[in-house]
Amino acid sequence: MPSSLLTFDAVSLCLYTQVVGVRSTPGLGLLGTEVSARSKGKVSPTETKSNTKREIEVEVPPEEVARETEALIQKYQKVARLPGFRRGHVPPSIIRQRFAADIKNDVVDALVPRYFRKETDKLGLIPVSQPRVTDLHVHEGEPLRFKASFEVMPTIRLEGYKELRADKPVVSVTDEEVEESLNSVREQHAAFTSVEGRALAEGDFAQVSLDGQPKDGEGQPVHMDDILVEIGGKNTMPEFNENLRGVPAGEERSFDVNYPADSADKRLAGKTFRYTVKVLSIKQKSLPELNDQFAKELGEFANLDEVRQRIREGMEEERKHAAEHEAKDKLVVELVKRNEFEVPEALVERQIDVRLERGLRALAAQGMRPEDIKKMDFNRLRAGQRDQALQEVKASLLLDKIAEEEKIDVSDEEIDREVEALAKQSKQTSEAIRARLTRDGALDRIRNRIRNEKTLDFLYHQSA
């Protein structure tokens, strides 16, 4: 859960009130807008049993409806083109008659969002969902009336977060693990030399090109122009070993390969492929000597012991980070268990959207075709994401509440460092990155993520 938690943006959704959208009523085309107004209106809040659901009844005075109507008629006059009248000179009575339905819709579009926002502000309510507008009453000379149902942030009473305790295991790295890692570095610096005058033998590397087709006709074909296959290697499929051993350079072989159901590449898992493989050349691998000269070639190392020390420190830091991450995961799970509260459905749905978008991007990166993605059962996928999304929303809201209690905030300098890091990563200027983030409204999301991370750090360290 926490791997998604730190990118979750539920708390910043409270800022949704900056632009309040109104769900469209058939035939009226309501638009969400942000308009301030000082005219008086009546509001009647309706109590509900839910901690997050509210319904209000709003009444807009008839004089405000008339004022908005007249203003719209003047706008229509400026642009209306009707036979027999010059542009801008159509009488108001004709405008009112010819565009009655449009003007009525425009009045609703302007006044409903305005008065919804005004009345929720007056009641101290913070909507986190689009309001559902019902019972709309709009007639000339009468008040405009409507009901609006929406969700608000829940009341959260923190319980037991100061009593949370985290496991902090001792991190260690053995000499054997250091040597294994050093050998991996050595393998990365291996040299390959061509072998002439004989066929492929055990331990050789075949430089090949290959084409593979799924035998059932389903799935993507495989094509590779220049790869190395280790004959007898522990990671080489048995079929490649059996069919390429003894083959000289320049010849090709065709054979089937059966992939296990648990294959790491999901495109191949459980399938049988027919391969045509051409041996381009035969190569032997030679490894560099493990000595001080090799250490110096790796970088600023005086000897091999310094390389071993750097490897050990890197592995210890990685394991320490992993252990801390796991401990924080458990802290968040326990925090959610200790605090039960109702969560707005709108926040859960948005987090499901976030999880699905992230998952679909991963599938696309793995090579899944857009047409195959479209065939997926999205209703089932959404249902499968719900429980985890709910936990992530709860966790984020709780962390935000703890941050308020403990006065944990994010400084402008911290935001600047994040912007500079993004600029360096994308090879753009800090000014360009900041402008884009500001335009997309992403700075608040970054601030919220950093705040969550700092709050998790607080929980972890205070649990010692």
Side-chain angles (χ1 to χ4, degrees), residues 19 78 98 153 274 303 313 329 398 401 405 413:
V19 180
K78 293 178 181 179
R98 291 290 299 272
M153 294 297 292
R274 181 70 177 177
N303 52 52
E313 290 172 355
D329 285 0
L398 286 167
K401 187 69 174 178
E405 292 284 333
E413 289 75 16

Side-chain angles (χ1 to χ4, degrees), residues 369-378:
R369 297 178 302 175
E371 52 267 35
D372 292 330
I373 290 178
K374 291 178 182 179
K375 295 177 183 177
M376 299 173 71
D377 186 343
F378 284 92

